Amino acid sequence: MSTTASFLDPAEVTRRMQTLNRVMTTKAAIAQTPKELVWTLNKAKLYRYTPVVPSEKRHPVPLLLVFALMNRPYILDLRPGHSFVEFMVKQGYDVYLLDWGVPGIEDKNLKFDDYTLDYLPRAIRKVKSLSGSNEFSLLGWCIGAILTTIYAALRPDDGLRNLLLLTAPLDFSKRDSLTFARWTDEKYFDVDKVLDAFGNMPGEIIDYGAKALKPIENYITNYCKLWDNLDNPLVVQSWHSMNTWVTDNIPMAGGAFRQLIVDFYRNDRLMKGELMFRGERVDLKRLRANLLTVVAQGDHITPPCQSEKIVSRVSSPDAEVYHVPGGHIGIMAGSSAHKRTWPYIDNWLGARSD
Amino acid sequence: MDEDHAESKTFDAFEKFREMRDAYLDATSKTMIDAVNSDAYAQASGAMLESYVTASAPFRAALEKSMIQALEQLSLPSRQEVAALAERFTNVEMRLDDIDGRLDEIVKLCTSLKILANEKQTTDDFTPRKKAKAASVPAKSKGKPSPTSAPSKQAVRKGRR
């Protein structure tokens, strides 16, 4: 923390301004864990991380990570020494990451149906083929948790052994607790008109929506924290990499965005058992895989009430809810993630991956 | 007293300012969170987006129309045509991926068949004479081959003819 003297020293002030300029105008080195591109389909890419543990000591069941559609997945591999992927690879998992890519205007009709029934099963087939295992684990975060849950319910016999859900927005029944539900209510928000204009939902609008939930924290306090700690390289490095991720916005395919608003936020079709994908009803009772749902207690994007009910709706004999202090992103990428969330996930998954 | 401790005791005029600032931001934050979580805010933000979309619609339509005309004049495909082509590419990619998946299965099946065949070969190498002897003995003694016994070389040749 800077002192009065440092504020009055011109050299110190210049140095601080240079640091500030650097972190605000450049991108941090992110996603450094060695990986190989093993499969592609349209914009989607499947990466396999290079194992660092000998094969005989590795868990035989591979792990596939599925992140949200409207953000970059490298939050799971933020920076060396602070990467969930790096941690899991070191714990002996065969880790794969599905990157949905950036949808173009030609993808504006892509829906959850397509991601769940066209992309995900094919990526899983590749994971199984490369790993040589008929069983696999899925980890879905945010919208990725919706996709993996639906997949697990629609294809329960595909070999899914473990399903991990992080801050999963699955239950939309408590509309009063959901700010997004209020904003996207049909009285105020004409989703068809917006998508007719843009095609895909622009990343900037989605980003504004996420930040506007806590405007002071995101637009002021965040920068004050950086200013106060400009002489602390660790804080600056951490802020820089997180800022790189936060400002790297991508649009969401129009069809999927419309579905998110209409089927999920407005009508809660998944929990009501009314969600239909290509004529097939998504019945959560068909989900039998071992289930761990991680809930962030301070999550303002996906409040805990959205993720807790799932365990009582599935048929999994082994289902658990784990509450972690922290926010939507902080529980996995925050400074205490490596002490709390990651080891818990490793212990839970490790016991079920051999 | 060490140097660090001495420094921490140094008067910092900004410390009080920071405390005040943080307290103010905390209080404002709570107010703002309540404000954005209201129907009034939802209505206002919805109206803003709506007015932008409505106001920009004629310009977008005019731009699109003139762009299509210009591209047509230049014998170039429009955005919609390129998008349709991209969709078809994705379909082709999916079919290729399915073929790739089936090839994987065939290779896997062939490998397991090869392993089985090798195993059978190894077992046959260890037990052929005993089996042949056992099969030929009753055929010789009774004058006609049993249905389970291996056909003689002559019978095979006859069959081929």
Side-chain angles (χ1 to χ4, degrees):
Chain A
M1 189 80 67
S2 51
T3 60
T4 316
S6 70
F7 267 111
L8 301 175
D9 176 10
E12 179 65 18
V13 170
T14 310
R15 201 181 57 77
R16 290 166 71 88
M17 292 311 288
Q18 281 170 346
T19 309
L20 188 66
N21 185 45
R22 179 175 62 82
V23 298
M24 298 294 283
T25 56
T26 61
K27 286 191 181 297
I30 36 80
Q32 300 287 296
T33 307
K35 60 182 181 294
E36 186 191 353
L37 179 66
V38 293
W39 173 89
T40 61
L41 176 59
N42 191 8
K43 314 289 165 21
K45 290 184 177 105
L46 179 71
Y47 294 101
R48 183 187 199 176
Y49 287 91
T50 311
V52 293
V53 172
S55 58
E56 64 274 12
K57 288 184 182 171
R58 244 179 272 156
H59 297 287
V61 179
L63 169 66
L64 173 61
L65 310 175
V66 181
F67 192 57
L69 298 168
M70 69 281 258
N71 289 106
R72 300 279 191 182
Y74 61 73
I75 186 70
L76 287 155
D77 182 24
L78 200 55
R79 61 193 161 92
H82 201 84
S83 152
F84 175 68
V85 167
E86 185 188 47
F87 172 80
M88 293 303 270
V89 169
K90 280 183 183 164
Q91 300 307 311
Y93 294 91
D94 188 7
V95 182
Y96 296 79
L97 174 78
L98 181 57
D99 181 349
W100 297 112
V102 184
I105 198 67
E106 65 277 13
D107 303 309
K108 68 176 183 180
N109 296 321
L110 279 181
K111 293 164 73 183
F112 278 75
D113 313 34
D114 305 304
Y115 289 119
T116 313
L117 297 173
D118 286 338
Y119 287 68
L120 203 46
R122 286 182 170 86
I124 287 167
R125 183 171 66 198
K126 196 70 193 175
V127 169
K128 284 170 104 176
S129 159
L130 289 171
S131 65
S133 168
N134 283 326
E135 289 188 300
F136 60 96
S137 302
L138 269 178
L139 181 149
W141 189 359
C142 190
I143 303 290
I146 300 183
L147 295 167
T148 50
T149 303
I150 294 171
Y151 169 81
L154 286 176
R155 301 286 179 264
D157 302 318
D158 269 9
L160 176 64
R161 193 196 279 194
N162 307 301
L163 177 63
L164 290 113
L165 305 175
L166 308 178
T167 63
L170 301 169
D171 177 10
F172 297 83
S173 58
K174 293 183 179 167
R175 288 177 58 82
D176 286 344
S177 315
L178 310 175
T179 310
F180 278 142
R182 198 182 294 274
W183 291 354
T184 55
D185 191 292
E186 52 203 324
K187 280 185 285 183
Y188 313 124
F189 183 70
D190 187 345
V191 65
D192 291 317
K193 200 170 182 181
V194 171
L195 290 176
D196 281 347
F198 295 116
N200 294 321
M201 194 59 182
E204 293 76 14
I205 297 183
I206 297 171
D207 179 53
Y208 168 76
K211 284 181 177 162
L213 289 173
K214 280 189 170 181
I216 300 293
E217 275 87 345
N218 290 315
Y219 290 111
I220 302 174
T221 312
N222 186 29
Y223 298 96
C224 289
K225 274 183 190 159
L226 173 67
W227 179 256
D228 291 344
N229 291 287
L230 275 174
D231 48 3
N232 183 339
L234 289 177
V235 175
V236 170
Q237 193 190 12
S238 163
W239 195 97
H240 192 199
S241 46
M242 186 56 88
N243 191 57
T244 301
W245 180 77
V246 167
T247 51
D248 196 0
N249 303 308
I250 55 174
M252 186 171 174
F257 184 78
R258 182 183 285 110
Q259 230 173 352
L260 179 68
I261 302 304
V262 177
D263 288 347
F264 293 94
Y265 273 102
R266 287 183 187 165
N267 295 300
D268 191 24
R269 290 202 171 121
L270 178 62
M271 279 292 159
K272 285 181 185 166
E274 295 170 358
L275 190 66
M276 299 291 288
F277 274 16
R278 296 182 184 170
E280 205 177 339
R281 192 170 73 86
V282 183
D283 182 3
L284 290 174
K285 274 278 172 246
R286 292 181 70 204
L287 197 161
R288 300 189 306 265
N290 303 320
L291 174 69
L292 172 69
T293 175
V294 180
V295 175
Q297 286 170 331
D299 196 342
H300 60 291
I301 294 172
T302 306
C305 63
Q306 286 199 277
S307 320
E308 289 162 339
K309 206 192 274 179
I310 181 76
V311 289
S312 63
R313 294 298 183 93
V314 297
S315 300
S316 316
D318 179 3
E320 182 186 335
V321 183
Y322 174 53
H323 289 90
V324 197
H328 192 70
I329 298 300
I331 59 157
M332 285 297 280
S335 54
S336 59
H338 66 286
K339 293 178 204 151
R340 215 175 274 150
T341 323
W342 301 353
Y344 195 90
I345 289 175
D346 171 38
N347 287 335
W348 186 88
L349 194 60
R352 292 158 179 83
S353 294
D354 293 324
Chain B
M1 193 182 285
D2 64 356
E3 205 176 6
D4 287 347
H5 193 64
E7 198 184 340
S8 71
K9 283 222 161 185
T10 314
F11 173 73
D12 181 8
F14 288 101
E15 190 56 41
K16 273 276 169 242
F17 164 76
R18 269 193 290 266
E19 280 171 16
M20 277 167 56
R21 178 201 68 191
D22 290 345
Y24 171 75
L25 288 176
D26 275 350
T28 318
S29 172
K30 280 166 195 144
T31 317
M32 284 301 289
I33 288 170
D34 288 342
V36 296
N37 195 19
S38 65
D39 281 336
Y41 180 84
Q43 195 174 4
S45 60
M48 257 175 66
L49 194 59
E50 174 99 13
S51 60
Y52 168 74
V53 169
T54 311
S56 63
F59 298 104
R60 270 186 289 113
L63 186 71
E64 206 174 306
K65 204 175 164 186
S66 58
M67 187 61 80
I68 288 169
Q69 280 172 350
L71 288 168
E72 234 174 49
Q73 294 284 320
L74 294 164
S75 301
L76 288 171
S78 68
R79 195 162 74 156
Q80 279 84 355
E81 284 165 338
V82 174
L85 203 62
E87 276 179 37
R88 289 176 67 184
F89 271 131
T90 306
N91 286 333
V92 171
E93 237 185 315
M94 273 195 224
R95 286 184 176 215
L96 278 175
D97 193 67
D98 290 343
I99 293 169
D100 186 45
R102 279 183 196 150
L103 272 176
D104 274 353
E105 277 172 29
I106 290 167
V107 169
K108 210 173 153 183
L109 211 67
C110 287
T111 315
S112 52
L113 279 174
K114 207 174 170 184
I115 292 167
L116 271 176
N118 284 344
E119 275 173 12
K120 194 168 180 290
Q121 179 77 41
T122 320
T123 341
D124 287 352
D125 285 349
F126 281 109
T127 52
R129 282 175 193 170
K130 264 187 182 177
K131 268 187 182 174
K133 211 176 181 182
S136 62
V137 168
K140 265 186 183 175
S141 60
K142 285 180 184 174
K144 55 178 179 180
S146 80
T148 50
S149 65
S152 67
K153 276 184 182 175
Q154 267 188 342
V156 172
R157 277 180 204 146
K158 270 184 185 175
R160 275 182 194 160
R161 278 173 203 161

